[in-house]
Amino acid sequence: SINHQASTPIALIEQNTNIMATFGLGNFAQQETDEPVDASTPWVAASEGNLPLLESSLQRLNLPMTAADETGYTLFHAASSYNQIRTMQHLIKHNVDVHAADNEGDTALHYAGSAESARILIEVAKLDPATTNEQGKTALETHRDNLAEMEKDEDEDEEDIETIKRLVEYLSSLQA
C-alpha cells in the first residue's frame, strides 16, 4: 500500500518498489547512446524507454528533463503515452512537473497508454483523474472517445483496443 505521508514523489517511489515492480520495472538493457541526435531524439527515447539515449540526447542538446516541444508535449507525456514505466519513474525521481499540461490542457493522464501507466500517474505521481483539458474532458472522457474511434476503425489492432478498454475500465473504477 502507498504511504500517503511521504513528502515527495521520490519517497513514494522508494517506499513502493513492489508496486513499481508490478509494472515491469526490473532491469532494462543498456541501449546504444552514440546514435545521431536531433531535436526529436529525447521524445523518441522517452517513448521507447531508452534511458541512456534520453540522458545523452538531453545533455548533447543542452535540454532539461522538463523540456517540452512546441505543443507543450513533455518527456513525461511521451513516457506515459507509450507505457514506459521505468522512464516515468526516472523522470519522477528527477522532479519533472508531473502535472504539466500541453497547449490543449492534456496531462500525462490524458496521454496514458495503459491502465498500468494511469495507475502510476494516479497512485505515485498523484495526478487527479478529475482534471479536465481545454475541451472540458477528463482523461476518462478522452480515452472513451479514443476507444470509440478505435472500435470504428476496421484496421485497428485488437490488442491495442483491449489495452485501451482496460484503461477506460480502470479510470471508470475510480468514479465508483
Side-chain angles (χ1 to χ4, degrees):
S1 72
I2 293 178
N3 177 350
H4 295 285
Q5 302 301 318
S7 60
T8 67
I10 294 169
L12 284 169
I13 289 170
E14 289 169 353
Q15 291 174 9
N16 295 289
T17 54
N18 59 339
I19 290 174
M20 301 304 267
T22 300
F23 299 116
L25 293 176
N27 295 330
F28 66 100
Q30 291 293 322
Q31 294 149 325
E32 191 61 43
T33 60
D34 54 347
E35 303 174 24
V37 171
D38 66 27
S40 69
T41 303
W43 284 266
V44 172
S47 68
E48 292 177 349
N50 188 335
L51 289 174
L53 181 58
L54 175 60
E55 291 281 350
S56 68
S57 64
L58 288 172
Q59 184 176 18
R60 289 165 66 184
L61 295 168
N62 197 27
L63 292 173
M65 290 265 183
T66 57
D69 69 10
E70 64 278 356
T71 67
Y73 188 71
T74 68
L75 301 170
F76 195 64
H77 292 149
S80 173
S81 181
Y82 289 92
N83 309 310
Q84 298 298 334
I85 305 300
R86 179 119 178 129
T87 303
M88 292 168 62
Q89 176 191 28
H90 181 76
L91 293 168
I92 290 168
K93 282 185 177 181
H94 283 84
N95 295 315
V96 299
D97 181 3
V98 297
H99 300 281
D102 69 10
N103 295 353
E104 295 179 356
D106 290 327
T107 66
L109 193 54
H110 288 87
Y111 282 107
S114 70
E116 293 81 11
S117 289
R119 184 169 175 199
I120 294 296
L121 293 168
I122 292 167
E123 294 182 10
V124 176
K126 302 297 183 200
L127 269 68
D128 181 356
T131 299
T132 58
N133 61 16
E134 289 187 4
Q135 294 177 337
K137 292 184 179 184
T138 63
L140 172 59
E141 293 164 328
T142 299
H143 291 298
R144 276 188 182 149
D145 290 350
N146 291 343
L147 178 59
E149 289 299 316
M150 291 171 77
E151 290 175 327
K152 289 180 193 175
D153 185 351
E154 294 176 9
D155 296 326
E156 193 66 53
D157 182 65
E158 283 300 317
E159 189 174 323
D160 292 342
I161 291 173
E162 287 304 313
T163 297
I164 300 305
K165 280 184 181 177
R166 287 190 297 276
L167 171 58
V168 168
E169 288 168 5
Y170 169 70
L171 292 172
S172 295
S173 75
L174 300 174
Q175 296 185 329

